[in-house]
Amino acid sequence: MKADAADVTAVAHPNIALVKYWGKRDERLILPWSDSLSMTLDVFPTTTRVRLDAAAGHDKVVLDGVPATGEAARRVIAFLELVRERAGLSWRAVVDSRNTVPTGAGLASSASGFAALAVAAAAAYGLGLDATGLSRLARRGSGSASRSVFGGFAVWHAGPPGATGAAADAASYAEPVPAAGMDPALVVAVVDAGAKTVSSREAMRRTVDTSPLYRPWADSSRADLAGMRAALALGDLEAVGEIAERNALGMHATMLAARPAVRYLSPATVTVLDRVLELRRDGVAAYATMDAGPNVKVLCRRADARRVAGAVGEAVPAARVLVAGPGPGARLLDEADGAGR
């Protein structure tokens, strides 16, 4: 492979977990305590270009047109080091990543970001990975990125809790989950696009280490996952929504019980949650879920999405509200897509 020919671009979309991943049992390998299940969205793509430069002495990372510094640069460079180790190459890389999802706001920017980086970097360095291998690799950048490798619904396997090292790494990956007869939408209410004051990584550590509610919630998540898979197989959107809402509220309860507490829910968040309850009382199948941030996603039927979006926008006029559907998995772009390779 010629270094000057290794110039590839990939795109990936964020995913929203319906059964949550929260807390790691292995920080280095990014192994979760329990399985999780998500829906990849058709909005907020991240496009990432990786170009190898055999003559460069260091990596260059550009995020949204600005040279990356600090923790953001460190995470990308550490990921590239992992790829280089596997490829047996030392060439440095120029990474140019463009996000359309607000970063650090609980909208899965790291999922789309590291899924796109995994696909592009693996191709640039010639790793020749299949989708499962790409999912394992993306996980090393951000756990939820393992699911964004796939479109639609995907489950991320935690792997056997007693496994360590290479065996644990091999056992933790995502794969698609079939969903029969559903036409779902996710109404995304961005009530605050600002970066969080407590990062997800810090909040996870604090919750796992100090919250008396964490282990019971993790145990209940295993049952939630089994129920979610059964509901998807039946195309039962109401059951999917009920499980997703209780799982998300339970996750936030574990954070509120941490010492000190981690509180992402804002007054606007609670207003949206109240409006979702009102919609259900009016006969609309609408169910809320939230990640590590104040923004709310509402699962509903696509036929009801406009009504749900209108109700949410009316409740919080300052919110940015948009409607998403199931989106595609991560992929390489070529010249036909407008990205040179």
Side-chain angles (χ1 to χ4, degrees):
M1 178 177 63
K2 294 181 179 180
D4 58 1
D7 185 349
V8 297
T9 301
V11 64
H13 290 74
N15 69 78
I16 298 301
L18 303 179
V19 175
K20 302 296 186 185
Y21 143 59
W22 192 246
K24 306 181 188 76
R25 72 176 194 274
D26 186 313
E27 291 273 356
R28 184 180 69 86
L29 293 176
I30 309 188
L31 300 174
W33 281 107
S34 58
D35 298 350
S36 57
L37 189 149
S38 65
M39 187 176 91
T40 298
L41 306 184
D42 59 0
V43 297
F44 293 145
T46 297
T47 303
T48 299
R49 180 185 181 189
V50 175
R51 178 175 58 83
L52 303 193
D53 187 345
H58 58 85
D59 296 308
K60 179 180 179 182
V61 182
V62 178
L63 301 178
D64 296 326
V66 179
T69 59
E71 180 66 8
R74 186 203 66 78
R75 289 180 67 186
V76 172
I77 292 169
F79 189 84
L80 292 172
E81 291 286 8
L82 176 66
V83 174
R84 280 191 283 265
E85 179 184 349
R86 295 185 178 185
L89 296 172
S90 60
W91 294 333
R92 300 296 166 175
V94 178
V95 176
D96 188 345
S97 188
R98 306 285 172 146
N99 243 345
T100 58
V101 56
T103 300
L107 289 167
S109 60
S110 64
S112 57
F114 276 99
L117 179 60
V119 171
Y125 282 95
L127 292 185
L129 298 177
D130 62 11
T132 300
L134 288 169
S135 178
R136 289 192 188 99
L137 178 62
R139 189 196 77 232
R140 296 294 298 273
S142 172
S144 56
S146 65
R147 301 185 304 247
S148 277
V149 169
F150 301 97
F153 296 94
V155 60
W156 172 20
H157 301 289
T164 59
D169 181 47
S172 186
Y173 57 90
E175 64 179 350
V177 173
M182 290 203 317
D183 188 17
L186 209 63
V187 175
V188 180
V190 183
V191 300
D192 186 348
K196 295 173 291 194
T197 57
V198 180
S199 71
S200 293
R201 289 192 172 198
E202 168 57 27
M204 282 185 192
R205 293 189 191 107
R206 191 185 305 177
T207 303
V208 172
D209 291 345
T210 71
S211 176
L213 301 184
Y214 180 73
R215 296 306 170 118
W217 174 81
D219 290 341
S220 71
S221 281
R222 297 181 181 96
D224 284 344
L225 186 99
M228 180 71 75
R229 296 192 71 155
L232 288 171
L234 294 172
D236 187 342
L237 184 135
E238 285 85 353
V240 168
E242 289 173 3
I243 295 168
E245 187 168 284
R246 76 189 185 210
N247 188 267
L249 291 173
M251 182 186 78
H252 281 270
T254 69
M255 288 185 264
L256 289 170
R259 318 289 169 80
V262 178
R263 184 176 69 87
Y264 289 128
L265 308 186
S266 70
T269 306
V270 176
T271 299
V272 174
L273 294 177
D274 287 344
R275 182 54 60 95
V276 170
L277 286 174
E278 292 173 7
L279 284 165
R280 284 213 295 275
R281 284 195 291 266
D282 291 340
V284 179
Y287 303 88
T289 185
M290 296 152 293
D291 292 308
N295 302 304
V296 184
K297 301 88 182 178
V298 186
L299 181 71
C300 63
R301 292 185 173 85
R302 193 180 295 269
D304 293 326
R306 181 172 294 183
R307 178 177 177 182
V308 172
V312 169
E314 181 182 78
V316 184
R320 178 188 177 192
V321 182
L322 66 154
V323 177
R331 65 185 179 96
L332 288 172
L333 299 180
D334 55 28
E335 293 181 359
D337 298 298
R341 290 182 59 180

